[in-house]
């Protein structure tokens, strides 16, 4: 079974600074997707960014980018120019690319605080 | 992006009663829907996966007779918590997966907070 590990329960960053959230995973599969989801205080899960395992190029979405190291099974999220609205729980997630009903496996989450 | 709605957003019930939570995909068809449970400051725990027109697949440790899931159409799935007890109090989140596209994107509802007195 796949596992996703987020070793940082809490992180803090100053507004306008950059922060990196860590995620490692364990799988024997070669084809899969990785995701970062944001859960603000409203509890609505929001997709931040996704990465296909077969792509070597790291995904980028505006201020959000990932460092995907397939051999190391590492998938970190970098938030640049942090904003107060970035404060939330961030979950790393894994999903097999096999089958349309494949499940998301979530990490335990990292709570990000953004300070002035 | 695609929208998933949940109703109700909050519900308070007495112990022993049943509660039904609805999950709808508003602007897309979803052959697969997922139900999660989330405890305070914890991650999402998958309870079951439901496919339209067939029985739900429950995760290990989830009582299927207690958490009844019905996926009657491509846009509606319901979770019924039967004979609710205080330990069932939690935040329940549904998610629907689009059937088209290469990513089979999964969208989440806003959640339902259940409090059992």
């Amino acid at each position: 079974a796949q596992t996703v590990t987020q070793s940082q329960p809490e992180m803090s960053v100053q507004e306008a600074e950059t922060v990196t959230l860590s995620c490692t995973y364990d799988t024997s599969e070669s084809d899969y997707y990785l995701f970062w989801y944001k859960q603000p205080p409203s509890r609505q899960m929001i997709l931040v960014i996704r990465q296909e395992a077969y792509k070597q190029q790291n995904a980028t979405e505006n201020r959000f980018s990932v460092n995907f190291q397939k051999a190391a099974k590492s998938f970190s999220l970098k938030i640049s120019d942090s904003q107060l609205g970035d404060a939330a729980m961030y979950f790393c997630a894994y999903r097999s690319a096999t089958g349309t009903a494949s499940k998301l496996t979530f990490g335990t989450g990292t709570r990000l605080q953004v300070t002035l | 992006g695609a929208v998933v709605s949940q109703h109700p957003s909050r519900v308070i019930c007495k112990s022993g009663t049943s509660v039904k939570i609805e999950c709808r995909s508003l602007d897309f068809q979803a052959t697969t829907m997922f139900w999660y449970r989330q405890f305070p400051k914890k991650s999402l725990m998958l309870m079951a996966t439901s496919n339209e027109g067939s029985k739900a697949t429950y995760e290990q440790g989830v009582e299927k007779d207690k958490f009844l899931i019905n996926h009657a159409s491509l846009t509606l799935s319901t979770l019924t918590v039967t004979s609710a007890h205080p330990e069932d109090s939690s935040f329940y989140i549904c998610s629907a997966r689009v059937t088209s596209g290469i990513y089979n994107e999964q969208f989440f509802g806003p959640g339902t907070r259940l409090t059992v007195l």
Side-chain angles (χ1 to χ4, degrees):
Chain A
Q2 293 81 20
T3 58
V4 178
T5 302
Q6 293 179 251
S7 58
Q8 306 154 316
E10 291 191 8
M11 292 284 284
S12 183
V13 63
Q14 281 192 318
E15 199 177 16
E17 296 297 308
T18 297
V19 65
T20 298
L21 308 184
S22 301
C23 173
T24 59
Y25 59 95
D26 189 26
T27 184
S28 59
E29 298 179 321
S30 60
D31 197 13
Y32 50 86
Y33 303 112
L34 295 166
F35 306 85
W36 278 98
Y37 284 92
K38 170 185 178 181
Q39 188 179 41
S42 68
R43 308 290 290 271
Q44 173 73 60
M45 294 287 284
I46 302 165
L47 176 64
V48 175
I49 199 165
R50 79 164 70 82
Q51 175 80 43
E52 297 93 322
Y54 65 86
K55 288 187 177 179
Q56 292 187 336
Q57 187 172 7
N58 290 321
T60 299
E61 286 288 341
N62 300 313
R63 297 182 295 108
F64 299 88
S65 61
V66 297
N67 184 2
F68 173 47
Q69 301 290 328
K70 191 172 184 178
K73 296 179 182 175
S74 171
F75 183 61
S76 62
L77 174 69
K78 185 172 81 171
I79 306 175
S80 304
D81 187 25
S82 296
Q83 301 175 358
L84 294 177
D86 295 333
M89 279 290 287
Y90 286 81
F91 293 100
C92 178
Y94 170 102
R95 198 184 95 206
S96 172
T98 304
T100 57
S102 56
K103 302 177 289 190
L104 278 169
T105 300
F106 288 96
T108 51
T110 297
R111 180 170 301 278
L112 178 66
Q113 289 184 320
V114 181
T115 59
L116 294 171
Chain B
V3 178
V4 176
S5 70
Q6 269 184 255
H7 179 80
S9 58
R10 288 175 178 267
V11 58
I12 300 173
C13 69
K14 292 182 179 180
S15 187
T17 60
S18 294
V19 174
K20 180 184 284 188
I21 302 170
E22 288 189 351
C23 175
R24 294 181 184 272
S25 55
L26 297 185
D27 49 3
F28 66 97
Q29 292 184 330
T31 54
T32 305
M33 288 188 173
F34 304 86
W35 286 95
Y36 298 86
R37 183 173 180 176
Q38 187 178 30
F39 291 103
K41 298 184 179 181
K42 298 292 184 182
S43 188
L44 279 70
M45 181 190 79
L46 180 65
M47 299 174 65
T49 302
S50 74
N51 291 293
E52 184 261 339
S54 62
K55 290 184 178 180
T57 302
Y58 290 81
E59 294 300 300
Q60 192 172 6
V62 178
E63 299 176 61
K64 57 184 174 183
D65 293 333
K66 180 166 189 61
F67 298 100
L68 300 179
I69 292 172
N70 183 277
H71 192 162
S73 76
L74 288 172
T75 59
L76 173 65
S77 177
T78 60
L79 167 67
T80 301
V81 183
T82 62
S83 187
H85 288 98
E87 57 265 31
D88 299 325
S89 298
S90 191
F91 194 69
Y92 292 88
I93 303 173
C94 76
S95 181
R97 184 169 290 167
V98 295
T99 57
S100 60
I102 62 172
Y103 301 116
N104 290 316
E105 187 80 52
Q106 189 167 331
F107 298 93
F108 289 82
T112 296
R113 181 174 301 283
L114 170 63
T115 303
V116 184
L117 303 176

